[in-house]
Amino acid sequence: DAGVTQSPTHLIKTRGQQVTLRCSPKSGHDTVSWYQQALGQGPQFIFQYYEEEERQRGNFPDRFSGHQFPNYSSELNVNALLLGDSALYLCASSLGPGNTIYFGEGSWLTVV
Amino acid sequence: EDQVTQSPEALRLQEGESSSLNCSYTVSGLRGLFWYRQDPGKGPEFLFTLYSAGEEKEKERLKATLTKKESFLHITAPKPEDSATYLCAFGKGKAAGNKLTFGGGTRVLVKP
């Protein structure tokens, strides 16, 4: 039973560039959420996708956008990267938008 | 304002030395209190969900309890493999399981 898978695992980008992170949910799950975790802090909710629509959003600027595909996989896009965007980006999935989420291993983004 | 605070920030234990981690919260309309374990460089691993005061759940050497203001994670006779960061989070509203607000975590180190 495949868990949540994310790609890439590590990447380095330059300030001002754009990045796309990808996520495949756990088998049988239809809802995807994205979190940002800075070093030494707890994860912060970015947004949730269900039925290919953004359903909930945290306190993140419009530079952060996403997409969910018909097969439930998802992408997180960040435009105009800032040094402060350096973090571990976590994807989590659940069966339904209100149920317990299960995390992937994350994508480490470093902005230089 | 809804918030969650974890203490202590770090905990050093000898193998077999039982202890408790605290998660204090002020939340209106709490729908669930969640505990996750996170190993360095990895995504959080789901441990427990607690829904109402007085509820308790156990898994191996871990036991989570919930009151109206706090949750405790008790670690009984810990082993070195219990070393990790333990995160608590609350959920509320219809996306209770997905849109989680996390505390800063407690880093636990168990020495043999």
Side-chain angles (χ1 to χ4, degrees), chain A residues 31 33 35 37 40-43 45 48 56-57 88 90 94 96-105 108, chain B residues 34 36 38 40-46 49 51 87 94-105 107:
Chain A
T31 307
S33 302
Y35 285 76
Q37 187 175 24
Q41 298 183 20
F45 176 79
Q48 173 202 59
Q56 299 272 339
R57 189 177 182 93
L88 177 65
L90 294 162
S94 65
N99 294 319
T100 299
I101 56 175
Y102 296 84
F103 286 91
E105 300 288 43
W108 285 96
Chain B
F34 299 79
Y36 287 82
Q38 187 172 28
K42 304 288 187 181
E45 174 189 349
F46 172 73
T49 309
Y51 293 102
L87 298 162
K94 60 183 178 180
N98 273 239
K99 186 180 179 181
L100 300 182
T101 300
F102 282 85
R107 296 187 310 277

Side-chain angles (χ1 to χ4, degrees), chain B residues 9-86:
Chain B
E9 290 186 3
L11 190 60
R12 295 167 67 97
L13 301 171
Q14 286 297 129
E15 184 172 2
E17 177 188 0
S18 301
S19 188
S20 295
L21 283 55
N22 177 267
C23 172
S24 298
Y25 63 90
T26 53
V27 179
S28 58
L30 180 78
R31 290 285 299 277
L33 191 292
F34 299 79
W35 283 97
Y36 287 82
R37 168 197 169 122
Q38 187 172 28
D39 293 312
K42 304 288 187 181
E45 174 189 349
F46 172 73
L47 293 174
F48 306 109
T49 309
L50 303 167
Y51 293 102
S52 57
E55 189 174 0
E56 298 182 353
K57 288 192 176 174
E58 288 188 65
K59 178 180 180 180
E60 296 181 359
R61 294 177 293 282
L62 301 177
K63 178 177 165 180
T65 62
L66 183 66
T67 72
K68 288 186 178 180
K69 294 183 179 181
E70 298 174 297
S71 179
F72 292 93
L73 184 66
H74 308 278
I75 309 179
T76 302
K79 299 182 177 181
E81 53 261 43
D82 295 321
S83 298
T85 295
Y86 291 87

